[in-house]
Short mmCIF file of all heavy atoms in Angstrom, two decimals:
data_model
loop_
_atom_site.label_atom_id
_atom_site.label_comp_id
_atom_site.label_asym_id
_atom_site.label_seq_id
_atom_site.Cartn_x
_atom_site.Cartn_y
_atom_site.Cartn_z
N LEU G 8 47.67 44.81 -23.82
CA LEU G 8 48.98 45.28 -23.41
C LEU G 8 48.84 46.47 -22.50
O LEU G 8 48.20 47.46 -22.83
CB LEU G 8 49.81 45.67 -24.65
CG LEU G 8 51.20 46.29 -24.39
CD1 LEU G 8 52.12 45.28 -23.67
CD2 LEU G 8 51.82 46.74 -25.71
N SER G 9 49.48 46.39 -21.34
CA SER G 9 49.47 47.50 -20.37
C SER G 9 50.92 47.91 -20.16
O SER G 9 51.74 47.13 -19.68
CB SER G 9 48.86 47.04 -19.05
OG SER G 9 48.97 48.05 -18.07
N ILE G 10 51.19 49.19 -20.49
CA ILE G 10 52.55 49.73 -20.32
C ILE G 10 52.50 50.66 -19.10
O ILE G 10 51.66 51.58 -19.06
CB ILE G 10 53.00 50.47 -21.58
CG1 ILE G 10 52.98 49.54 -22.79
CG2 ILE G 10 54.39 51.09 -21.39
CD1 ILE G 10 53.26 50.21 -24.11
N SER G 11 53.41 50.44 -18.17
CA SER G 11 53.44 51.28 -16.96
C SER G 11 53.74 52.74 -17.35
O SER G 11 54.39 52.98 -18.35
CB SER G 11 54.47 50.78 -15.96
OG SER G 11 55.77 51.10 -16.41
N VAL G 14 57.50 53.29 -17.90
CA VAL G 14 57.99 52.75 -19.15
C VAL G 14 57.50 53.56 -20.31
O VAL G 14 58.23 53.87 -21.26
CB VAL G 14 57.63 51.25 -19.26
CG1 VAL G 14 58.00 50.74 -20.66
CG2 VAL G 14 58.34 50.44 -18.19
N ALA G 60 61.77 47.38 -17.08
CA ALA G 60 60.43 46.95 -17.48
C ALA G 60 60.30 45.47 -17.19
O ALA G 60 60.60 44.65 -18.07
CB ALA G 60 60.15 47.29 -18.95
N THR G 61 59.91 45.15 -15.97
CA THR G 61 59.66 43.71 -15.68
C THR G 61 58.39 43.32 -16.42
O THR G 61 57.37 43.98 -16.36
CB THR G 61 59.50 43.50 -14.18
OG1 THR G 61 60.75 43.85 -13.54
CG2 THR G 61 59.19 42.02 -13.84
N ILE G 62 58.50 42.21 -17.17
CA ILE G 62 57.43 41.80 -18.06
C ILE G 62 56.74 40.56 -17.48
O ILE G 62 57.39 39.63 -17.00
CB ILE G 62 58.01 41.42 -19.45
CG1 ILE G 62 58.92 42.53 -20.03
CG2 ILE G 62 56.94 41.02 -20.44
CD1 ILE G 62 58.23 43.78 -20.45
N ALA G 63 55.42 40.58 -17.50
CA ALA G 63 54.62 39.44 -17.01
C ALA G 63 53.25 39.48 -17.66
O ALA G 63 52.93 40.41 -18.41
CB ALA G 63 54.46 39.53 -15.50
N LEU G 69 49.13 41.59 -20.97
CA LEU G 69 50.60 41.69 -21.04
C LEU G 69 51.03 42.93 -20.31
O LEU G 69 50.54 44.02 -20.61
CB LEU G 69 51.03 41.74 -22.51
CG LEU G 69 50.50 40.64 -23.44
CD1 LEU G 69 50.86 40.94 -24.88
CD2 LEU G 69 51.02 39.30 -23.01
N LYS G 70 51.90 42.80 -19.35
CA LYS G 70 52.39 43.92 -18.56
C LYS G 70 53.81 44.25 -18.92
O LYS G 70 54.67 43.40 -18.84
CB LYS G 70 52.32 43.61 -17.07
CG LYS G 70 50.95 43.27 -16.53
CD LYS G 70 50.05 44.49 -16.44
CE LYS G 70 50.56 45.37 -15.38
NZ LYS G 70 49.67 46.50 -15.06
N ALA G 71 54.05 45.47 -19.30
CA ALA G 71 55.40 45.97 -19.58
C ALA G 71 55.71 47.01 -18.52
O ALA G 71 55.30 48.16 -18.63
CB ALA G 71 55.48 46.54 -20.99
N GLY G 72 56.37 46.54 -17.48
CA GLY G 72 56.67 47.41 -16.34
C GLY G 72 55.76 47.06 -15.18
O GLY G 72 54.76 47.76 -14.94
N CYS G 73 56.06 46.01 -14.48
CA CYS G 73 55.25 45.60 -13.34
C CYS G 73 55.44 46.55 -12.16
O CYS G 73 56.54 47.06 -11.94
CB CYS G 73 55.59 44.18 -12.89
SG CYS G 73 55.09 42.91 -14.07
N ILE G 116 57.10 40.40 -25.90
CA ILE G 116 56.26 41.46 -25.35
C ILE G 116 56.99 42.78 -25.41
O ILE G 116 56.41 43.83 -25.72
CB ILE G 116 55.80 41.09 -23.91
CG1 ILE G 116 54.92 39.87 -23.97
CG2 ILE G 116 55.11 42.29 -23.24
CD1 ILE G 116 54.59 39.25 -22.62
N MET G 120 55.65 46.01 -27.27
CA MET G 120 55.50 47.27 -26.58
C MET G 120 56.10 48.39 -27.44
O MET G 120 55.44 49.44 -27.63
CB MET G 120 56.16 47.19 -25.22
CG MET G 120 56.38 48.51 -24.51
SD MET G 120 57.35 48.30 -23.03
CE MET G 120 58.97 47.86 -23.61
#
Side-chain angles (χ1 to χ4, degrees):
L8 176 63
S9 174
I10 302 174
S11 75
V14 172
T61 298
I62 309 290
L69 307 172
K70 299 287 292 188
C73 290
I116 295 170
M120 166 186 67

